[in-house]
Amino acid sequence: MDETRSRRGASLEVLRAEAHDELQTVIHARARGGEDPWDFMTELPTVDELVVWMLRAERIRDDDGRLPSAARDYRLLRQIALDHPALTTTVWTMLGRLSAER
């Protein structure tokens, strides 16, 4: 698979733009709801983390919505890193956090 294409055909730049727009919408909604951005900004994922979660969700959807086991989730995230080398650091950071939570 071409490293700049997701399974739905969008480039990584397009996916990042979509993720950025999503995050801006969340920030705007929470700020309009009276929350102080200084209080919630650290809770939000980065643009690349959101892209990884979007790609993961797409692959789960392609697998008839079956949630992966911990081992399969690890392989799924590693495959995202292989398919999109620019996301490798983000994927490994996320994997580190996930393993620390378990």
Side-chain angles (χ1 to χ4, degrees), residues 23-35 40:
L23 286 174
Q24 292 305 310
T25 300
V26 169
I27 292 166
H28 182 74
R30 289 181 73 169
R32 285 189 55 109
E35 291 184 67
F40 67 80

Side-chain angles (χ1 to χ4, degrees), residues 8 13-31 40-41 43-55 57:
R8 65 182 175 171
E13 290 75 24
V14 169
L15 293 172
R16 283 176 168 156
E18 289 176 5
H20 180 268
D21 289 347
E22 269 308 306
L23 286 174
Q24 292 305 310
T25 300
V26 169
I27 292 166
H28 182 74
R30 289 181 73 169
F40 67 80
M41 289 299 287
E43 299 171 8
L44 299 179
T46 66
V47 168
D48 279 355
E49 287 171 340
L50 191 53
V51 169
V52 171
W53 288 127
M54 290 167 34
L55 291 168

Side-chain angles (χ1 to χ4, degrees), residues 65-78:
R66 286 182 293 220
L67 292 177
S69 66
R72 171 136 168 50
D73 202 27
Y74 177 83
R75 289 190 307 272
L76 190 136
L77 291 172
R78 278 195 59 214

